[in-house]
Amino acid sequence: MKRDAHIHSPYCPHGSNDGFELYIEKAISEGIQDITFTEHAPLPRGFIDPTPLQDSGMRQADVLPYIQEITLLKEKYANQIKIRVGFEVDFIEGFEQQTCTWLNEFGPLIDDAILSVHFLKYANEYVCIDYSKDVFLEFSKKVGSVEQVYQLYYETVRQSIEADLGMYKPMRIGHPTLVHKFRLAHNENIDDHQQIIEILHCIKEHDYELDVNSAGYAKTFCQESYPPIPYISISKNLQVKLIFGSDAHQAKDLHQFAEKLVHLL
């Protein structure tokens, strides 16, 4: 079955204004049978978004309208495609309880979800690790090295997998090698093989799914999937459930670079 389970929407503050039906019609035209809209959930109560425009998550006031709009579209297109209501939920160290509270409130209305790490905590401050190469490189200097940023990232991903976020915790771990996004900008050869392997084993141990994300191919300084292809094969051998996601933030990017990955799943 042809599926894309990581798609954003017009409710994304840093995305496009492309309407839901643009994504849906494109999916149908490409023979996709199952899609999940996974908009960035509101950031936890009390967390201050460190990005310049503070546009990393959707507004809390938009959560129910978002769910209601997709629910109507599920019914409208029921004979053509399966549409799931979903969110991409941020794991932010120190805000586990707030995240759990939000999931307990809205979890019953969600069909599918992703748990992702975009923010790292260091010296009691937070940084959005995938915001820009300049932010990444500046943070590397602050932490001490690019390698130490990688270590901090994987440790935070591990925390996300092991965290108790309640019965509605997302079952899919999002782009676990997002820290590679600027690998061609820092141009350092970081050996993180063992850390990635440990993350994959941790995902398997907890019986979670893995977001096989093609968006890295579209990033100038990445040019690889999250995780890279060799780790997709390793995940398959571990019998981790692999779910393709294009991470599209505009309709034209739906199912982007799928041909590089779906035959591996």
Side-chain angles (χ1 to χ4, degrees), residues 181-209:
K181 183 174 179 178
F182 302 110
R183 68 187 185 94
L184 301 179
H186 62 69
N187 203 32
E188 293 187 29
N189 185 22
I190 305 298
D191 181 6
D192 57 356
H193 172 75
Q194 190 57 41
Q195 290 162 300
I196 298 173
I197 293 296
E198 289 173 2
I199 290 296
L200 298 180
H201 277 275
C202 195
I203 291 172
K204 172 62 179 176
E205 179 185 341
H206 288 79
D207 198 26
Y208 289 160
E209 302 169 344

mmCIF file of all heavy atoms in Angstrom, residues 181-209:
data_model
loop_
_atom_site.group_PDB
_atom_site.id
_atom_site.type_symbol
_atom_site.label_atom_id
_atom_site.label_comp_id
_atom_site.label_asym_id
_atom_site.label_seq_id
_atom_site.Cartn_x
_atom_site.Cartn_y
_atom_site.Cartn_z
ATOM 1 N N LYS A 181 21.319 17.337 9.330
ATOM 2 C CA LYS A 181 20.795 18.302 8.361
ATOM 3 C C LYS A 181 21.865 19.242 7.813
ATOM 4 O O LYS A 181 21.799 19.662 6.655
ATOM 5 C CB LYS A 181 19.665 19.119 8.996
ATOM 6 C CG LYS A 181 19.010 20.095 8.021
ATOM 7 C CD LYS A 181 17.795 20.777 8.641
ATOM 8 C CE LYS A 181 17.171 21.757 7.663
ATOM 9 N NZ LYS A 181 15.962 22.410 8.231
ATOM 10 N N PHE A 182 22.869 19.568 8.624
ATOM 11 C CA PHE A 182 23.907 20.510 8.191
ATOM 12 C C PHE A 182 25.271 19.837 8.084
ATOM 13 O O PHE A 182 26.310 20.489 8.222
ATOM 14 C CB PHE A 182 23.951 21.704 9.142
ATOM 15 C CG PHE A 182 22.626 22.431 9.219
ATOM 16 C CD1 PHE A 182 21.856 22.372 10.365
ATOM 17 C CD2 PHE A 182 22.142 23.128 8.127
ATOM 18 C CE1 PHE A 182 20.627 23.013 10.441
ATOM 19 C CE2 PHE A 182 20.905 23.780 8.179
ATOM 20 C CZ PHE A 182 20.153 23.724 9.334
ATOM 21 N N ARG A 183 25.275 18.550 7.787
ATOM 22 C CA ARG A 183 26.529 17.790 7.752
ATOM 23 C C ARG A 183 27.481 18.302 6.663
ATOM 24 O O ARG A 183 28.710 18.223 6.818
ATOM 25 C CB ARG A 183 26.241 16.300 7.559
ATOM 26 C CG ARG A 183 25.678 15.933 6.203
ATOM 27 C CD ARG A 183 25.244 14.475 6.112
ATOM 28 N NE ARG A 183 24.815 14.130 4.771
ATOM 29 C CZ ARG A 183 25.609 13.596 3.839
ATOM 30 N NH1 ARG A 183 26.859 13.308 4.129
ATOM 31 N NH2 ARG A 183 25.150 13.338 2.634
ATOM 32 N N LEU A 184 26.957 18.838 5.575
ATOM 33 C CA LEU A 184 27.818 19.358 4.509
ATOM 34 C C LEU A 184 28.190 20.815 4.748
ATOM 35 O O LEU A 184 28.979 21.380 3.978
ATOM 36 C CB LEU A 184 27.124 19.204 3.150
ATOM 37 C CG LEU A 184 26.753 17.762 2.770
ATOM 38 C CD1 LEU A 184 26.038 17.734 1.415
ATOM 39 C CD2 LEU A 184 27.994 16.870 2.729
ATOM 40 N N ALA A 185 27.643 21.410 5.793
ATOM 41 C CA ALA A 185 28.009 22.776 6.175
ATOM 42 C C ALA A 185 29.156 22.753 7.164
ATOM 43 O O ALA A 185 30.137 23.495 7.025
ATOM 44 C CB ALA A 185 26.807 23.513 6.766
ATOM 45 N N HIS A 186 29.068 21.881 8.183
ATOM 46 C CA HIS A 186 30.194 21.799 9.127
ATOM 47 C C HIS A 186 31.339 20.977 8.544
ATOM 48 O O HIS A 186 32.493 21.125 8.945
ATOM 49 C CB HIS A 186 29.750 21.247 10.480
ATOM 50 C CG HIS A 186 29.192 19.859 10.474
ATOM 51 N ND1 HIS A 186 29.948 18.741 10.222
ATOM 52 C CD2 HIS A 186 27.933 19.408 10.729
ATOM 53 C CE1 HIS A 186 29.190 17.659 10.324
ATOM 54 N NE2 HIS A 186 27.962 18.025 10.614
ATOM 55 N N ASN A 187 31.026 20.095 7.575
ATOM 56 C CA ASN A 187 32.037 19.359 6.806
ATOM 57 C C ASN A 187 32.998 18.560 7.689
ATOM 58 O O ASN A 187 34.169 18.402 7.374
ATOM 59 C CB ASN A 187 32.830 20.316 5.906
ATOM 60 C CG ASN A 187 33.451 19.597 4.730
ATOM 61 O OD1 ASN A 187 32.901 18.610 4.225
ATOM 62 N ND2 ASN A 187 34.597 20.078 4.267
ATOM 63 N N GLU A 188 32.473 18.064 8.811
ATOM 64 C CA GLU A 188 33.273 17.197 9.676
ATOM 65 C C GLU A 188 32.762 15.766 9.552
ATOM 66 O O GLU A 188 31.549 15.538 9.436
ATOM 67 C CB GLU A 188 33.182 17.654 11.139
ATOM 68 C CG GLU A 188 33.827 18.999 11.392
ATOM 69 C CD GLU A 188 33.863 19.338 12.868
ATOM 70 O OE1 GLU A 188 33.927 18.405 13.697
ATOM 71 O OE2 GLU A 188 33.807 20.541 13.195
ATOM 72 N N ASN A 189 33.655 14.835 9.570
ATOM 73 C CA ASN A 189 33.276 13.431 9.467
ATOM 74 C C ASN A 189 33.029 12.877 10.869
ATOM 75 O O ASN A 189 33.944 12.425 11.545
ATOM 76 C CB ASN A 189 34.369 12.633 8.751
ATOM 77 C CG ASN A 189 33.970 11.197 8.511
ATOM 78 O OD1 ASN A 189 32.779 10.877 8.500
ATOM 79 N ND2 ASN A 189 34.949 10.332 8.329
ATOM 80 N N ILE A 190 31.779 12.932 11.292
ATOM 81 C CA ILE A 190 31.418 12.493 12.634
ATOM 82 C C ILE A 190 31.018 11.019 12.590
ATOM 83 O O ILE A 190 30.120 10.637 11.831
ATOM 84 C CB ILE A 190 30.251 13.324 13.198
ATOM 85 C CG1 ILE A 190 30.576 14.821 13.151
ATOM 86 C CG2 ILE A 190 29.914 12.870 14.614
ATOM 87 C CD1 ILE A 190 31.761 15.237 13.973
ATOM 88 N N ASP A 191 31.676 10.227 13.380
ATOM 89 C CA ASP A 191 31.344 8.804 13.438
ATOM 90 C C ASP A 191 30.254 8.592 14.500
ATOM 91 O O ASP A 191 30.546 8.453 15.689
ATOM 92 C CB ASP A 191 32.579 7.970 13.775
ATOM 93 C CG ASP A 191 32.284 6.474 13.812
ATOM 94 O OD1 ASP A 191 31.143 6.082 13.466
ATOM 95 O OD2 ASP A 191 33.185 5.698 14.199
ATOM 96 N N ASP A 192 29.013 8.569 14.045
ATOM 97 C CA ASP A 192 27.898 8.381 14.966
ATOM 98 C C ASP A 192 27.197 7.046 14.723
ATOM 99 O O ASP A 192 26.047 6.859 15.136
ATOM 100 C CB ASP A 192 26.902 9.540 14.862
ATOM 101 C CG ASP A 192 26.362 9.732 13.445
ATOM 102 O OD1 ASP A 192 26.818 9.014 12.528
ATOM 103 O OD2 ASP A 192 25.492 10.603 13.252
ATOM 104 N N HIS A 193 27.894 6.137 14.066
ATOM 105 C CA HIS A 193 27.293 4.848 13.719
ATOM 106 C C HIS A 193 26.732 4.133 14.948
ATOM 107 O O HIS A 193 25.571 3.695 14.951
ATOM 108 C CB HIS A 193 28.329 3.958 13.023
ATOM 109 C CG HIS A 193 27.870 2.549 12.806
ATOM 110 N ND1 HIS A 193 26.951 2.209 11.828
ATOM 111 C CD2 HIS A 193 28.175 1.388 13.468
ATOM 112 C CE1 HIS A 193 26.729 0.902 11.883
ATOM 113 N NE2 HIS A 193 27.449 0.388 12.862
ATOM 114 N N GLN A 194 27.528 4.024 15.990
ATOM 115 C CA GLN A 194 27.087 3.275 17.162
ATOM 116 C C GLN A 194 25.911 3.954 17.840
ATOM 117 O O GLN A 194 24.989 3.287 18.339
ATOM 118 C CB GLN A 194 28.247 3.109 18.154
ATOM 119 C CG GLN A 194 27.940 2.146 19.294
ATOM 120 C CD GLN A 194 27.539 0.757 18.799
ATOM 121 O OE1 GLN A 194 28.124 0.232 17.841
ATOM 122 N NE2 GLN A 194 26.550 0.161 19.436
ATOM 123 N N GLN A 195 25.903 5.278 17.838
ATOM 124 C CA GLN A 195 24.790 5.996 18.468
ATOM 125 C C GLN A 195 23.484 5.755 17.707
ATOM 126 O O GLN A 195 22.427 5.575 18.324
ATOM 127 C CB GLN A 195 25.105 7.491 18.518
ATOM 128 C CG GLN A 195 26.231 7.815 19.505
ATOM 129 C CD GLN A 195 26.834 9.180 19.244
ATOM 130 O OE1 GLN A 195 27.367 9.444 18.162
ATOM 131 N NE2 GLN A 195 26.747 10.053 20.229
ATOM 132 N N ILE A 196 23.561 5.740 16.377
ATOM 133 C CA ILE A 196 22.358 5.479 15.579
ATOM 134 C C ILE A 196 21.872 4.052 15.810
ATOM 135 O O ILE A 196 20.670 3.811 15.981
ATOM 136 C CB ILE A 196 22.622 5.725 14.079
ATOM 137 C CG1 ILE A 196 23.005 7.190 13.843
ATOM 138 C CG2 ILE A 196 21.385 5.372 13.250
ATOM 139 C CD1 ILE A 196 23.452 7.490 12.418
ATOM 140 N N ILE A 197 22.808 3.115 15.839
ATOM 141 C CA ILE A 197 22.443 1.713 16.089
ATOM 142 C C ILE A 197 21.740 1.584 17.438
ATOM 143 O O ILE A 197 20.718 0.892 17.574
ATOM 144 C CB ILE A 197 23.692 0.806 16.049
ATOM 145 C CG1 ILE A 197 24.279 0.756 14.632
ATOM 146 C CG2 ILE A 197 23.349 -0.602 16.553
ATOM 147 C CD1 ILE A 197 23.377 0.131 13.604
ATOM 148 N N GLU A 198 22.260 2.273 18.443
ATOM 149 C CA GLU A 198 21.643 2.209 19.771
ATOM 150 C C GLU A 198 20.238 2.794 19.761
ATOM 151 O O GLU A 198 19.322 2.275 20.419
ATOM 152 C CB GLU A 198 22.530 2.936 20.785
ATOM 153 C CG GLU A 198 23.829 2.187 21.094
ATOM 154 C CD GLU A 198 24.787 2.981 21.963
ATOM 155 O OE1 GLU A 198 24.415 4.111 22.363
ATOM 156 O OE2 GLU A 198 25.890 2.476 22.242
ATOM 157 N N ILE A 199 20.040 3.873 19.007
ATOM 158 C CA ILE A 199 18.710 4.464 18.885
ATOM 159 C C ILE A 199 17.753 3.479 18.219
ATOM 160 O O ILE A 199 16.599 3.295 18.669
ATOM 161 C CB ILE A 199 18.765 5.783 18.085
ATOM 162 C CG1 ILE A 199 19.473 6.882 18.886
ATOM 163 C CG2 ILE A 199 17.354 6.231 17.667
ATOM 164 C CD1 ILE A 199 18.766 7.285 20.164
ATOM 165 N N LEU A 200 18.200 2.818 17.164
ATOM 166 C CA LEU A 200 17.342 1.852 16.467
ATOM 167 C C LEU A 200 16.971 0.688 17.380
ATOM 168 O O LEU A 200 15.831 0.235 17.391
ATOM 169 C CB LEU A 200 18.033 1.351 15.202
ATOM 170 C CG LEU A 200 18.340 2.408 14.133
ATOM 171 C CD1 LEU A 200 19.031 1.764 12.940
ATOM 172 C CD2 LEU A 200 17.070 3.142 13.703
ATOM 173 N N HIS A 201 17.930 0.217 18.165
ATOM 174 C CA HIS A 201 17.642 -0.866 19.106
ATOM 175 C C HIS A 201 16.662 -0.391 20.183
ATOM 176 O O HIS A 201 15.796 -1.161 20.625
ATOM 177 C CB HIS A 201 18.939 -1.376 19.748
ATOM 178 C CG HIS A 201 19.682 -2.368 18.907
ATOM 179 N ND1 HIS A 201 19.397 -3.716 18.915
ATOM 180 C CD2 HIS A 201 20.687 -2.203 18.005
ATOM 181 C CE1 HIS A 201 20.191 -4.347 18.069
ATOM 182 N NE2 HIS A 201 20.988 -3.451 17.502
ATOM 183 N N CYS A 202 16.798 0.853 20.599
ATOM 184 C CA CYS A 202 15.899 1.410 21.607
ATOM 185 C C CYS A 202 14.472 1.502 21.049
ATOM 186 O O CYS A 202 13.491 1.193 21.747
ATOM 187 C CB CYS A 202 16.400 2.782 22.035
ATOM 188 S SG CYS A 202 15.660 3.423 23.552
ATOM 189 N N ILE A 203 14.352 1.912 19.788
ATOM 190 C CA ILE A 203 13.039 1.961 19.133
ATOM 191 C C ILE A 203 12.433 0.564 19.080
ATOM 192 O O ILE A 203 11.252 0.364 19.390
ATOM 193 C CB ILE A 203 13.168 2.554 17.711
ATOM 194 C CG1 ILE A 203 13.510 4.052 17.786
ATOM 195 C CG2 ILE A 203 11.877 2.342 16.912
ATOM 196 C CD1 ILE A 203 13.837 4.680 16.443
ATOM 197 N N LYS A 204 13.252 -0.421 18.725
ATOM 198 C CA LYS A 204 12.778 -1.802 18.662
ATOM 199 C C LYS A 204 12.354 -2.302 20.044
ATOM 200 O O LYS A 204 11.300 -2.932 20.199
ATOM 201 C CB LYS A 204 13.878 -2.703 18.088
ATOM 202 C CG LYS A 204 13.576 -4.193 18.145
ATOM 203 C CD LYS A 204 12.328 -4.539 17.326
ATOM 204 C CE LYS A 204 12.052 -6.028 17.376
ATOM 205 N NZ LYS A 204 10.805 -6.377 16.673
ATOM 206 N N GLU A 205 13.175 -2.005 21.031
ATOM 207 C CA GLU A 205 12.899 -2.470 22.394
ATOM 208 C C GLU A 205 11.552 -1.968 22.901
ATOM 209 O O GLU A 205 10.837 -2.678 23.622
ATOM 210 C CB GLU A 205 14.020 -1.998 23.327
ATOM 211 C CG GLU A 205 13.844 -2.383 24.781
ATOM 212 C CD GLU A 205 14.932 -1.785 25.670
ATOM 213 O OE1 GLU A 205 15.982 -1.387 25.141
ATOM 214 O OE2 GLU A 205 14.702 -1.714 26.891
ATOM 215 N N HIS A 206 11.195 -0.739 22.504
ATOM 216 C CA HIS A 206 9.938 -0.155 22.960
ATOM 217 C C HIS A 206 8.797 -0.389 21.971
ATOM 218 O O HIS A 206 7.686 0.116 22.175
ATOM 219 C CB HIS A 206 10.123 1.344 23.212
ATOM 220 C CG HIS A 206 10.944 1.645 24.431
ATOM 221 N ND1 HIS A 206 12.329 1.565 24.430
ATOM 222 C CD2 HIS A 206 10.587 1.991 25.694
ATOM 223 C CE1 HIS A 206 12.777 1.868 25.639
ATOM 224 N NE2 HIS A 206 11.745 2.133 26.416
ATOM 225 N N ASP A 207 9.083 -1.120 20.908
ATOM 226 C CA ASP A 207 8.076 -1.483 19.915
ATOM 227 C C ASP A 207 7.446 -0.257 19.253
ATOM 228 O O ASP A 207 6.227 -0.195 19.036
ATOM 229 C CB ASP A 207 6.991 -2.365 20.542
ATOM 230 C CG ASP A 207 6.180 -3.126 19.495
ATOM 231 O OD1 ASP A 207 6.712 -3.377 18.397
ATOM 232 O OD2 ASP A 207 5.008 -3.458 19.768
ATOM 233 N N TYR A 208 8.294 0.726 18.941
ATOM 234 C CA TYR A 208 7.819 1.921 18.256
ATOM 235 C C TYR A 208 8.082 1.804 16.754
ATOM 236 O O TYR A 208 8.833 0.940 16.303
ATOM 237 C CB TYR A 208 8.524 3.175 18.801
ATOM 238 C CG TYR A 208 8.107 3.565 20.201
ATOM 239 C CD1 TYR A 208 8.905 4.392 20.970
ATOM 240 C CD2 TYR A 208 6.904 3.124 20.756
ATOM 241 C CE1 TYR A 208 8.536 4.762 22.256
ATOM 242 C CE2 TYR A 208 6.522 3.487 22.034
ATOM 243 C CZ TYR A 208 7.342 4.314 22.779
ATOM 244 O OH TYR A 208 6.963 4.665 24.045
ATOM 245 N N GLU A 209 7.478 2.695 16.002
ATOM 246 C CA GLU A 209 7.696 2.784 14.558
ATOM 247 C C GLU A 209 8.813 3.790 14.283
ATOM 248 O O GLU A 209 9.127 4.635 15.128
ATOM 249 C CB GLU A 209 6.422 3.262 13.860
ATOM 250 C CG GLU A 209 5.202 2.396 14.089
ATOM 251 C CD GLU A 209 3.924 3.046 13.609
ATOM 252 O OE1 GLU A 209 3.922 4.280 13.366
ATOM 253 O OE2 GLU A 209 2.916 2.329 13.482
#
